[in-house]
Amino acid sequence: MQTLQRRQTHQVQIDHVTVGSDAPVVVQSMTNTDTADAEATALQVKELSDAGSEIVRITVNSPEAAAKVSEIRQRLNDMGCNTPLVGDFHFNGERLLQEFPECAKSLSKYRINPGNVGKGAKGDEKFAYMIRTAAEYDKAVRIGVNWGSLDQSLAKRMMDANLALAQPKAPEEVMKEALIVSALESAQKAVDLGLPEDKIILSCKVSSVQDLIQVYRDLGSRCHYPLHLGLTEAGMGSKGIVASTAALSVLLQEGIGDTIRISLTPEPGESRTQEVVVAQEILQTMGLRSFTPLVTACPGCGRTTSTVFQELARDIQSYLRSQMAVWRLQYPGVESLNVAVMGCVVNGPGESKLADIGISLPGTGETPVAPVYVDGERKVTLKGDNMAAEFLAIVQEYVEANYGEGGPKRRQGRVIPIRNI
Ligand code: SF4
């Protein structure tokens, strides 16, 4: 059993969700609906939440949006969804919080970008108003610095100081340092304004994998605030998934990161929930958390010339994921179930025996039968056109017997024990 060391941080409570130190790394997401459309936004938050997002951020960018936040919260409560909402504020946050106190109260956390609050004394006043509002309503704050909206006066100050050095650093190194300084100085200002340290989470998002790793390693070593991780503007499809996974995996393996978000650009018509699925899969494949039963499937090769194998692997995966909203409550521990769907006799029986339940489908030229293994033993052999439905019935039966009331595997998990440093 592997042991990962996590950074020791303050723990921040966001309603019922605990962030930091030995609390599980939290999955976050963000809506892309118009917040002024309360119905559409509440439905998307619910959809993200059902997919496994434990905190959802919504943009609060206008009076029309701010006016609908309490209605969104109420609609979610009415749907039985208690997922905390985070308000994403830029440019006019202090005005919206002042004019819409119900919005300020309904949110569980405010995200403040120090680069987009305002300049000089006016900016300081606006920042102070938002922090005091958070303190008054007992809300957490994420100070979220972003490469694309770095505080320009801070960047200029640091660039000028660098140029005065006998051996100036490369400009990009100064900019990375400026991101960290912006987050740390803003956090200190917030504390000085009366916000407790255990209400503060930090992030410093950039769009390059290597820069993100460098910035978060440095930031993590210089403070005890929980860190929200994410590669900003990760992009679409496999590029966004691979880049986010590469960056976050390195940091998570080093114990850095207390909440994560995968900033994927959805393909046209694609569900917003893809970013939640990817976040969960990163955490689960690293052995940090369990969310959904894993399907082990071989890639297929010249021995699997029909589509039966791919279809079954896909159907099993989507069936298991679709059941989780109910199974999570009914069958505690079922998220650690491991199912194998294999394409032929070469590795099929071996992998199937290692899984809780496995099916070894017939490859090209093999006898058209599919042995099913349960807990390492050959249980039954399926054949004919109804193999998929029959296999799903065996999976359902196994889940009920093992994770139902009194089942031997109920509440067992494969979460790696966490030790603080
Ligand atoms: S298990 Fe069989 S079908 Fe799957 S990749 Fe290996 S040889 Fe190919």
Side-chain angles (χ1 to χ4, degrees):
M1 183 77 91
Q2 200 182 344
T3 301
L4 282 188
Q5 292 188 329
R6 297 274 304 279
R7 278 175 67 242
Q8 178 73 61
T9 73
H10 310 295
Q11 281 201 325
V12 178
Q13 203 60 38
I14 303 163
D15 295 350
H16 58 279
V17 179
T18 306
V19 175
S21 277
D22 57 354
V25 179
V26 172
V27 172
Q28 293 199 38
S29 61
M30 185 171 184
T31 56
N32 62 355
T33 50
D34 179 358
T35 307
D37 184 342
E39 183 182 7
T41 302
L43 286 173
Q44 193 177 63
V45 172
K46 176 76 165 56
E47 187 188 16
L48 290 164
S49 174
D50 286 347
S53 184
E54 293 157 311
I55 296 176
V56 178
R57 183 159 46 119
I58 60 176
T59 190
V60 186
N61 58 335
S62 65
E64 293 75 17
K68 291 297 175 78
V69 170
S70 61
E71 181 186 335
I72 292 167
R73 179 72 272 165
Q74 190 56 52
R75 281 175 177 267
L76 288 165
N77 294 347
D78 293 345
M79 288 188 274
C81 176
N82 64 356
T83 302
L85 289 178
V86 180
D88 197 45
F89 293 101
H90 299 271
F91 312 114
N92 55 358
E94 89 298 343
R95 184 160 61 83
L96 298 177
L97 289 172
Q98 189 170 25
E99 290 176 10
F100 297 92
E102 288 308 313
C103 163
K105 286 183 214 166
S106 302
L107 293 167
S108 305
K109 186 172 78 163
Y110 308 157
R111 184 271 171 116
I112 303 174
N113 179 341
N116 284 344
V117 174
K119 292 182 188 154
K122 187 80 186 151
D124 289 345
E125 264 175 49
K126 290 164 76 174
F127 181 79
Y129 186 87
M130 296 178 78
I131 294 297
R132 289 200 180 104
T133 306
E136 180 187 343
Y137 292 123
D138 198 28
K139 305 296 182 185
V141 164
R142 171 160 68 92
I143 294 174
V145 181
N146 197 299
W147 184 255
S149 51
L150 179 60
D151 178 346
Q152 290 306 301
S153 57
L154 172 71
K156 182 171 181 324
R157 168 167 53 99
M158 292 185 62
M159 281 293 189
D160 290 347
N162 183 57
L163 285 175
L165 295 175
Q167 290 183 313
K169 294 181 196 164
E172 54 272 22
E173 292 306 310
V174 181
M175 292 297 278
K176 281 182 246 178
E177 174 66 10
L179 283 168
I180 296 168
V181 169
S182 177
L184 295 177
E185 284 189 354
S186 300
Q188 189 54 52
K189 273 191 215 168
V191 172
D192 294 343
L193 287 161
L195 191 67
E197 288 190 332
D198 65 2
K199 291 285 177 192
I200 299 173
I201 294 172
L202 301 183
S203 66
C204 281
K205 292 191 182 178
V206 299
S207 55
S208 145
V209 170
Q210 294 296 347
D211 289 345
L212 191 88
I213 293 169
Q214 186 187 339
V215 165
Y216 270 86
R217 278 178 176 159
D218 201 352
L219 177 64
S221 70
R222 289 162 65 173
C223 69
H224 286 95
Y225 296 108
L227 301 182
H228 170 66
L229 292 190
L231 188 74
T232 193
E233 290 108 30
M236 278 183 135
S238 61
K239 185 264 172 192
I241 294 170
V242 170
S244 295
T245 306
L248 269 54
S249 301
V250 171
L251 292 165
L252 290 166
Q253 187 67 18
E254 295 176 10
I256 300 169
D258 304 288
T259 73
I260 65 171
R261 185 204 168 198
I262 309 301
S263 300
L264 289 182
T265 309
E267 304 278 354
E270 185 184 38
S271 167
R272 187 68 167 174
T273 55
Q274 178 68 359
E275 66 176 60
V276 178
V277 173
V278 174
Q280 288 187 332
E281 286 180 347
I282 290 174
L283 295 174
Q284 184 153 355
T285 51
M286 290 186 72
L288 294 171
R289 294 189 65 183
S290 294
F291 298 97
T292 300
L294 279 181
V295 175
T296 304
C298 75
C301 67
R303 287 175 169 270
T304 51
T305 46
S306 82
T307 56
V308 174
F309 156 66
Q310 288 110 312
E311 284 163 7
L312 187 62
R314 179 202 59 200
D315 292 350
I316 295 282
Q317 180 75 74
S318 54
Y319 171 77
L320 294 173
R321 191 164 276 287
S322 70
Q323 294 303 305
M324 278 312 288
V326 174
W327 279 8
R328 200 175 286 130
L329 304 172
Q330 232 171 352
Y331 305 116
V334 70
E335 61 277 3
S336 63
L337 177 76
N338 196 344
V339 180
V341 179
M342 299 295 292
C344 85
V345 75
V346 172
N347 292 321
E351 282 289 351
S352 299
K353 282 180 195 167
L354 290 173
D356 294 311
I357 311 172
I359 184 167
S360 179
L361 290 160
T364 310
E366 294 175 23
T367 312
V369 295
V372 173
Y373 297 82
V374 175
D375 289 331
E377 301 290 332
R378 187 165 173 157
K379 179 184 162 79
V380 67
T381 299
L382 304 180
K383 53 186 154 194
D385 296 336
N386 214 20
M387 278 195 291
E390 288 172 22
F391 184 64
L392 288 177
I394 294 170
V395 171
Q396 177 71 43
E397 191 184 305
Y398 184 90
V399 167
E400 284 168 15
N402 285 279
Y403 300 95
E405 213 61 66
K409 297 193 175 184
R410 194 172 171 90
R411 288 204 184 282
Q412 286 180 4
R414 290 181 183 154
V415 178
I416 292 175
I418 289 164
R419 183 157 55 85
N420 289 325
I421 47 177

